Amino acid sequence: MHGTPTGLVFALYYPILAAIGVPANLAVIVILSRGRCGLSRCITCYLMSMAVTDLLVIITAVILNRIIGIYFPSSFLSITPVCSLSFVLMAGSRDSSVWVTVVFTIDRFVAICCHKLKTKYCTEKTAAVVIGTVCGVSCFKNAFWYFIYEPLYTINNTPWFCKIKPIFYTSPAWAAFDWIHRISTPCLPFIMILLLNALTVRHILAAIRTRRRLQVRSNVENQSDPEMKNRKKSIVLLFCISGSFILLWLLFLLTFLYVRIANVTYFSGSNFNESNFNLEESGYMLQILSSCVNPFIYAGTQGKFRDELRNGVKYPLALIAKLLN
């Protein structure tokens, strides 16, 4: 794999992704845990959970799966039972990350569009229950992936690597499981995020028109509107997070549809030049990238987050300068 141009791209891409994603998500966790970003405890809970699940995706999918698979192909993690377990952990953390994004979108929809439900639903306690539920269901659902793999090779009675069993493509039960799995992640999240964002935009535009009419009648159109500014910041944050999710997961979704509709198989592990491998791996690369972009979205849309990040960078530099002096 390393000898091909495609293999070289993968060998460089995943370490760079881990080098950026791990410290970025750790920084988000530390900054949000301090509670100085001017966000409600409910929103902070969702953003914290997104950072934690994204960090788990990078650890399981990038470091344990891709980096070790590329640079240490004959390690203990390549034994079939361990390899199968790593796939389960990777899928569980990935689905948890996706559904935490969905429930965050639901929370923002309720907060902006459903004022009567807002006081009961948009609380830290409800957020914790919802996040725990979606993460638990995601882990349970993905546990079944452990049973679809078989050894690629058996050397000295030791099974090595993982390949999908042929029955996975012919069994109606496994086909149904695969459809349910892909519909729940990412098809259903796609639909829910697009629908909720459309309803949220419609509600916000209606509210903006109403407030502008009131301002015109009161002759205060030139005055600043703090509530409107807060709504704009909220909608920018929401749309950046959900928009990046849709864009980066789109090719992964198209790959699944191609496999099932064109009656081809997922990558078998024997030929890295296969066109279906390039399609599948490209979708996987973009999907994993979605676990690294949220910290940069926070830094780009939240002024107080940037201030906290700046202070966090300055502190160790000032400490080092003080020690040197």
Side-chain angles (χ1 to χ4, degrees), residues 33-110:
S33 64
R34 292 165 62 87
R36 298 178 181 178
C37 294
L39 300 170
S40 69
R41 296 180 67 87
C42 176
I43 295 178
T44 300
C45 189
Y46 281 110
L47 298 184
M48 278 273 290
S49 64
M50 291 167 66
V52 170
T53 53
D54 284 344
L55 179 62
L56 291 175
V57 170
I58 295 171
I59 292 173
T60 57
V62 178
I63 298 176
L64 296 182
N65 184 277
R66 286 304 194 259
I67 293 178
I68 291 181
I70 292 172
Y71 290 96
F72 309 99
S74 299
S75 68
F76 170 76
L77 294 177
S78 296
I79 298 175
T80 302
V82 181
C83 174
S84 300
L85 180 61
S86 70
F87 277 118
V88 170
L89 296 175
M90 177 178 64
S93 59
R94 181 194 62 197
D95 281 18
S96 297
S97 176
V98 170
W99 278 97
V100 169
T101 303
V102 174
V103 294
F104 170 70
T105 305
I106 294 173
D107 176 83
R108 292 299 84 205
F109 168 76
V110 172

Side-chain angles (χ1 to χ4, degrees), residues 7 18 72 95 131 179 186 211 216 224 258 265 274-275 280 313 324:
F72 309 99
D95 281 18
I131 292 167
W179 274 104
R211 293 184 69 84
V216 170
S224 62
Y258 170 70
T265 62
E274 292 178 348
S275 59
E280 182 182 349
V313 173
L324 293 176

Side-chain angles (χ1 to χ4, degrees), residues 26 29 72 175 178 199 239 280 287 308:
L26 284 174
I29 293 170
F72 309 99
D178 196 25
L199 294 173
F239 279 16
E280 182 182 349
Q287 174 241 306
E308 287 294 310

Side-chain angles (χ1 to χ4, degrees), residues 11-23:
L12 296 175
Y13 176 79
Y14 291 112
I16 293 173
L17 198 65
I20 295 173
V22 170

Side-chain angles (χ1 to χ4, degrees), residues 91-157:
S93 59
R94 181 194 62 197
D95 281 18
S96 297
S97 176
V98 170
W99 278 97
V100 169
T101 303
V102 174
V103 294
F104 170 70
T105 305
I106 294 173
D107 176 83
R108 292 299 84 205
F109 168 76
V110 172
I112 295 172
C113 304
C114 308
H115 295 291
K116 292 183 179 180
L117 185 59
K118 176 181 177 179
T119 54
K120 293 183 179 180
Y121 184 82
C122 300
T123 64
E124 184 180 15
K125 182 178 180 181
T126 300
V129 172
V130 171
I131 292 167
T133 300
V134 297
C135 290
V137 171
S138 296
C139 292
F140 173 77
K141 181 193 71 171
N142 285 285
F144 293 96
W145 284 104
Y146 183 86
F147 303 102
I148 74 165
Y149 294 104
E150 64 182 8
L152 185 62
Y153 308 108
T154 300
I155 303 175
N156 296 327
N157 295 323

